[in-house]
């Protein structure tokens, strides 16, 4: 493996979430919420196999984040890294694969990469966001999906992030006018539900004002209540008008590998609508 730091969106949405992180000699997944064949195929495109992984970091126990985690861990000896509450919810009676307990707020170090978690508000047992800090270059990537609202903990955690992967799950008007039953709309809109386009972009603007130029991916978009074109157009217009900061914006696609980020490398424009 080459010695560099890169982040690759393999899938992002309610049907499954998986992010590949390469750091020096190591490769890890953040969540493994898509099928095993899809993960295997996506890794092969990066000249990786499942057994090459150094760990799977889980943000929480919902199925769209853990679908293949236990199978990969059990078959290939890849440790699952999560806080004790999430591990308990994942395993229940399944204790036949390796794991590493990472209490929320602590850091797991693998090679030159520091993986730090922080609390986010969502209707899971103990959901977290993830910071990825590559020590040789000082670059940082932050991941927040499945968060009902923006907290001061989240604001503090993402300070200095060169890449921000941030949930923009729904357009509020589209959700309210849509076909979802009332209880599901209420769950999504609650303080422990999902971030809207407006909430996500407000945090992006805050980050742009304090950090300056960076890259941001809108993630975990709803198939029914949002579109990549809608979310990206709103984000680009708002960030440009309110901050004037040259933020590189893109969307992590719901059902296939899409955007990649390597510090100092100009990103490919994959999302053409």
């Amino acid at each position: 493996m080459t010695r560099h730091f890169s982040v690759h969106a393999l899938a992002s949405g309610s049907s499954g979430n998986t992010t590949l992180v390469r750091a020096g000699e190591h490769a890890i997944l953040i969540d493994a919420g898509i099928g095993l064949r899809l993960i295997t195929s996506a890794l092969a495109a990066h000249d990786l196999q499942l057994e090459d992984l150094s760990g799977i970091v889980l943000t929480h126990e919902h199925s769209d984040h853990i679908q293949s985690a236990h199978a990969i861990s059990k078959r290939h000896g890849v440790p699952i890294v999560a806080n004790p509450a999430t591990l308990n919810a994942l395993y229940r009676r399944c204790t036949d694969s390796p794991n590493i307990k990472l209490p929320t707020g602590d850091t797991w170090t693998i090679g030159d990469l520091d993986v730090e978690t922080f609390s986010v508000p969502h209707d899971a047992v103990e959901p977290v966001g993830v910071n990825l800090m590559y020590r040789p270059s000082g670059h940082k990537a932050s991941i927040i999906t499945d968060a009902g609202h923006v907290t001061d903990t989240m604001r503090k955690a993402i300070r200095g992030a060169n890449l921000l992967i941030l949930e923009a799950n729904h357009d509020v008007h589209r959700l309210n006018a849509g076909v979802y039953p009332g209880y599901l709309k209420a769950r999504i809109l609650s303080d422990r539900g999902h971030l809207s386009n407006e909430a996500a972009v407000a945090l992006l603007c805050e980050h742009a004002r304090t950090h300056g130029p960076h890259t941001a991916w809108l993630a975990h978009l709803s198939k029914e209540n949002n579109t990549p074109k809608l979310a990206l157009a709103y984000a680009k217009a708002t960030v440009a008008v309110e901050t004037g900061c040259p933020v590189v914006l893109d969307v992590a696609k719901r059902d296939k590998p899409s955007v990649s980020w390597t510090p100092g490398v100009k990103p490919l424009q994959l999302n053409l609508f």
Side-chain angles (χ1 to χ4, degrees), residues 17 29-32 56-62 64-66 81-83 86 104 117-118 120 122 124-130 143-146:
N17 300 270
L29 296 181
I30 309 300
D31 292 324
I56 303 170
V57 179
L58 297 183
T59 60
H60 63 291
E61 78 280 6
H62 288 168
D64 58 326
H65 293 259
I66 68 166
V81 184
N83 57 51
T86 299
T104 302
T117 62
F118 53 93
V120 299
H122 188 54
V125 292
E126 194 175 325
V128 298
V130 180
I143 302 175
I144 298 174
T145 61
D146 298 77

Side-chain angles (χ1 to χ4, degrees), residues 135-148:
R135 280 177 274 110
S137 65
H139 286 97
K140 174 180 177 180
S142 297
I143 302 175
I144 298 174
T145 61
D146 298 77

Side-chain angles (χ1 to χ4, degrees), residues 117-221:
T117 62
F118 53 93
S119 178
V120 299
H122 188 54
D123 55 357
V125 292
E126 194 175 325
V128 298
V130 180
N131 283 328
L132 305 154
M133 293 158 288
Y134 188 53
R135 280 177 274 110
S137 65
H139 286 97
K140 174 180 177 180
S142 297
I143 302 175
I144 298 174
T145 61
D146 298 77
H149 66 282
V150 175
T151 66
D152 287 339
T153 296
M154 290 159 57
R155 290 185 177 95
K156 181 179 179 182
I158 67 173
R159 287 176 185 168
N162 308 100
L163 170 66
L164 178 57
I165 304 174
L166 183 61
E167 176 177 53
N169 176 258
H170 59 277
D171 173 81
V172 173
H173 303 292
R174 195 180 181 103
L175 173 63
N176 282 326
V179 298
Y180 277 11
Y183 77 89
L184 186 53
K185 291 179 181 180
R187 173 187 175 266
I188 293 169
L189 293 168
S190 76
D191 281 351
R192 300 182 72 229
H194 294 277
L195 291 179
S196 66
N197 289 346
E198 292 81 1
V201 172
L203 182 57
L204 283 177
C205 288
E206 289 183 34
H207 190 61
R209 294 188 190 100
T210 57
H211 178 74
H214 65 281
T215 298
W217 299 345
L218 305 178
H220 209 295
L221 272 66

